């Protein structure tokens, strides 16, 4: 799986890494139980600071998507672990301000639903 | 409209303010063209640093939701301005990693749609 860093983006680099790993899992390019590269190797590959990769891994751990083990490194959780640890409530809280923003832009419930469908589609379809 | 600050939340205080102002507009407690309090007055009311309110106002300005004018202060954009300035594409980009996260948690397109509906509903219904 190829991670593309956009240095000029408004989105911090560690979040770009986090988001692309999550999309990689969603799209099936990365799999439950897969090991992630070591922080050092990944940072070297991407040409970013080790601190940046570290921050991304910790963000993924906080979301309940990966496990970080002292010796064996970072590993994507199993589907079951993900369901146990990751919280739908937290995800719902994260969606909330964006839904409010969409409402402020005049979007109706149905339009927001359509937007979600098109994003879902584009994640599924996009080749990486 | 009452802003509730949760000091122990994971969400930075300036983002809590931003989100609640957006929800206030979505819910009709705040209106297009309304003036927002001065940074000093608002910070005093909320018991937070002026810098925090400032950061929130600039975040709202960046999203194209308010205008900040040197003399008259911060003002919520008109509905038309909002449609012109705020970018659906940016909003869609913001939704994208959350949709991917929902997919990783095993949610199907329809379930994500249902989640959106329930958030929409809870924003509309919630009294402030």
């Amino acid at each position: 799986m190829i991670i593309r860093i956009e240095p000029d983006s408004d989105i911090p680099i560690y979040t770009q890494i986090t988001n692309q790993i999550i999309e990689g899992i969603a799209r099936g390019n990365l799999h439950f139980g897969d090991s992630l590269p070591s922080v050092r190797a990944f940072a070297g590959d991407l040409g970013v600071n080790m601190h940046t990769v570290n921050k991304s891994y910790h963000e993924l751990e906080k979301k309940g998507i990966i496990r970080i083990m002292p010796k064996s490194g970072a590993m994507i959780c199993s589907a079951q672990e993900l369901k146990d640890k990751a919280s739908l409530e937290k995800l719902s809280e994260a969606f909330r301000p964006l839904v409010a923003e969409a409402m402020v832009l005049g979007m109706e419930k149905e339009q927001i639903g359509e937007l979600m469908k098109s994003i879902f589609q584009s994640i599924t379809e996009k080749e990486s």
Side-chain angles (χ1 to χ4, degrees), chain A residues 107-122:
Chain A
M107 288 177 83
E108 293 296 332
K109 220 188 303 192
E110 290 69 28
Q111 291 173 292
I112 300 173
E114 285 307 311
L115 180 62
M116 291 308 105
K117 270 187 209 164
S118 77
I119 295 172
F120 191 102
Q121 215 74 35
S122 84

Side-chain angles (χ1 to χ4, degrees), chain A residues 63 87-103 112 115-117 119-120 123:
Chain A
K63 285 178 186 291
S87 143
L88 191 62
E89 199 183 333
K90 253 193 195 167
L91 186 64
S92 163
E93 279 309 304
F95 266 117
R96 191 178 170 99
L98 294 177
V99 173
E101 202 175 328
M103 290 166 75
I112 300 173
L115 180 62
M116 291 308 105
K117 270 187 209 164
I119 295 172
F120 191 102
I123 291 174

Side-chain angles (χ1 to χ4, degrees), chain A residues 36-102:
Chain A
L36 293 178
S38 74
V39 170
R40 181 185 298 272
F42 205 11
D45 278 356
L46 296 176
V48 302
N49 201 294
M50 280 173 56
H51 178 67
T52 306
V53 173
N54 216 14
K55 216 168 156 182
S56 165
Y57 279 9
H58 278 98
E59 194 177 33
L60 287 163
E61 191 184 34
K62 214 171 150 188
K63 285 178 186 291
I65 291 174
I66 70 171
R67 256 184 301 142
I68 301 174
M69 286 150 305
K71 283 197 180 163
S72 35
M75 179 183 272
I76 300 169
C77 293
S78 69
Q80 192 52 52
E81 270 179 297
L82 263 161
K83 281 191 183 149
D84 293 346
K85 285 203 293 185
S87 143
L88 191 62
E89 199 183 333
K90 253 193 195 167
L91 186 64
S92 163
E93 279 309 304
F95 266 117
R96 191 178 170 99
L98 294 177
V99 173
E101 202 175 328

Side-chain angles (χ1 to χ4, degrees), chain A residues 15-27:
Chain A
T15 306
Q16 293 184 36
I17 298 172
T18 302
N19 290 349
Q20 289 182 55
I21 290 175
I22 296 174
E23 277 202 31
I25 307 170
R27 206 181 300 126

